[in-house]
Amino acid sequence: SRRPAANSVIRPDFKFEDLGIGGLDREFSDIFRRAFASRIFPPGLAEKLGIQHVRGILLYGPPGTGKTLIARQIGKMLNARDPKVINGPEVLNKYVGQSEENIRKLFADAEKEQKEKGDESGLHIIIFDELDAVCKQRGSGAGGGTGVGDSVVNQLLSKLDGVDQLNNILLIGMTNRKDMIDEALLRSGRLEVHMEISLPDEAGRQQILKIHTTKMRENGKMASDVDLAELARSTRNFSGAEIAGLVKSASSFALQRHLKGGTVAALKDDVGDMQIRMEDFLGALQEVHPLFGVSEEDLE
Ligand code: ATP
């Protein structure tokens, strides 16, 4: 079957609500406009306008805020094949030359396909998590003072610059420390679209709570006294990941209560009328606390 051409990859049935990302609609549509507008032009228009596709995005912000989630959903939406996910510390192999080889390999498949199939080769997304681990300012001694970090940055730069003829690669870098990333990497033509993904505000937290309680609500496992608006107010400074943790903790309280009425064996066959109640969420709030960061509300 024919693969979609590199500049008509968007899925026609795309809806933001279906992505399961809470509270980041503005960020998502901004990334979309800045990084993908050129790819959804009718074929040939980008060439006529003399515009090159964006080949790199940097998502930065505190841990657990949905950076990986967004990166993966971008891939789905663009009908790209499953993204390659690579982790900074993993790339930093202690053997001389191996880290550079790892970077080279990352790009090799996409390059090969583009050579063989031209614009029909579809989009390859490479997600690079914890980018700061390998791409610290050169000369800063990243990689344990061995200079390994420097040559990894150089290799990544030469790969990104070398994809001049390649339409089909998109690198999505992620970091909690944008200030640590070598500036050369952040320039135009490289990781040129920068987007901060910060902690969710109250409305965002309510959306995230909704997303992470979808299943239990659909299955009648959430009691009617659970007030998500109230919980959104009580979870200031929580990241999306911490809100997911809160829901998990609340479930464990509900299970514990349910268990008191029977045995584990009985529970295995039948969770029966078990429901997660507001009291379970209040218990969870005593247990799950935000680790990082200051939300925008605190700065007001
Ligand atoms: P890190 O910097 O630690 O890699 P991250 O920003 O990439 O973190 P994710 O891995 O995307 O965070 O988030 C972890 C999990 O938290 C997600 O799989 C999801 O379940 C939940 N989560 C985080 N943010 C959101 C959000 N905005 N909407 C819905 N779920 C979220």
Side-chain angles (χ1 to χ4, degrees):
S1 69
R2 263 170 62 102
R3 287 191 192 287
N7 49 2
S8 60
V9 283
I10 185 103
R11 281 174 50 160
D13 54 346
F14 162 68
K15 277 207 255 116
F16 179 76
E17 300 83 73
D18 297 339
L19 296 183
I21 305 172
L24 295 170
D25 10 353
R26 186 189 56 76
E27 286 83 351
F28 197 82
S29 64
D30 272 8
I31 295 173
F32 203 78
R33 176 180 52 77
R34 291 165 63 193
F36 301 113
S38 70
R39 291 190 189 269
I40 57 175
F41 285 162
L45 184 55
E47 287 75 10
K48 275 184 201 150
L49 296 175
I51 292 171
Q52 289 204 326
H53 297 318
V54 166
R55 12 186 138 122
I57 302 177
L58 182 76
L59 302 177
Y60 63 98
T65 45
K67 294 184 290 297
T68 312
L69 200 58
I70 283 197
R72 285 188 174 279
Q73 296 295 40
I74 284 173
K76 265 196 212 155
M77 192 179 61
L78 292 174
N79 235 345
R81 67 211 68 217
D82 278 344
K84 283 188 191 167
V85 182
I86 181 134
N87 184 272
E90 263 166 36
V91 172
L92 258 200
N93 193 299
K94 58 186 175 210
Y95 300 108
V96 176
Q98 189 61 49
S99 314
E100 295 83 340
E101 175 62 13
N102 290 346
I103 300 277
R104 197 194 59 74
K105 272 203 194 122
L106 264 183
F107 287 81
D109 289 347
E111 285 173 358
K112 185 163 166 268
E113 263 205 52
Q114 171 109 30
K115 269 199 197 105
E116 286 166 13
K117 300 183 184 160
D119 264 357
E120 302 297 311
S121 67
L123 187 66
H124 290 250
I125 294 184
I126 300 170
I127 296 179
F128 207 127
D129 202 6
E130 297 187 63
L131 187 63
D132 47 285
V134 288
C135 295
K136 290 193 179 126
Q137 306 280 348
R138 276 167 293 177
S140 70
T146 58
V148 171
D150 292 4
S151 56
V152 169
V153 177
N154 288 334
Q155 175 73 352
L156 201 54
L157 286 175
S158 91
K159 276 297 160 196
L160 277 172
D161 293 344
V163 294
D164 228 6
Q165 308 311 319
L166 296 179
N167 272 331
N168 67 340
I169 294 181
L170 178 74
L171 179 67
I172 305 181
M174 291 184 289
T175 182
N176 305 318
R177 295 291 308 273
K178 184 187 177 197
D179 58 308
M180 303 271 276
I181 308 265
D182 194 295
E183 272 166 34
L185 204 58
L186 302 181
R187 268 182 229 137
S188 162
R190 296 167 180 171
L191 295 179
E192 59 188 309
V193 172
H194 307 164
M195 179 61 63
E196 182 171 11
I197 307 294
S198 38
L199 290 171
D201 62 10
E202 188 181 317
R205 294 195 299 269
Q206 191 169 342
Q207 277 178 30
I208 298 170
L209 280 160
K210 265 205 188 125
I211 289 167
H212 286 276
T213 55
T214 305
K215 277 270 155 58
M216 61 176 74
R217 284 185 290 115
E218 280 172 2
N219 294 313
K221 293 291 169 208
M222 197 168 96
S224 58
D225 73 329
V226 176
D227 184 346
L228 295 185
E230 163 79 30
L231 289 170
R233 280 192 292 279
S234 320
T235 44
R236 176 176 285 211
N237 287 338
F238 277 57
S239 67
E242 284 159 348
I243 290 173
L246 185 82
V247 173
K248 203 187 266 179
S249 165
S251 312
S252 76
F253 279 107
L255 258 179
Q256 186 185 42
R257 188 181 55 248
H258 200 70
L259 248 184
K260 279 183 189 153
T263 62
V264 175
L267 193 67
K268 247 187 170 174
D269 300 330
D270 177 24
V271 285
D273 56 359
M274 187 195 106
Q275 277 197 323
I276 289 112
R277 301 178 190 157
M278 191 63 172
E279 62 181 279
D280 300 320
F281 276 100
L282 297 180
L285 276 174
Q286 301 295 315
E287 189 168 82
V288 183
H289 300 288
L291 281 180
F292 288 97
V294 177
S295 69
E296 278 168 24
E297 290 154 281
D298 282 348
L299 298 173
E300 276 161 15

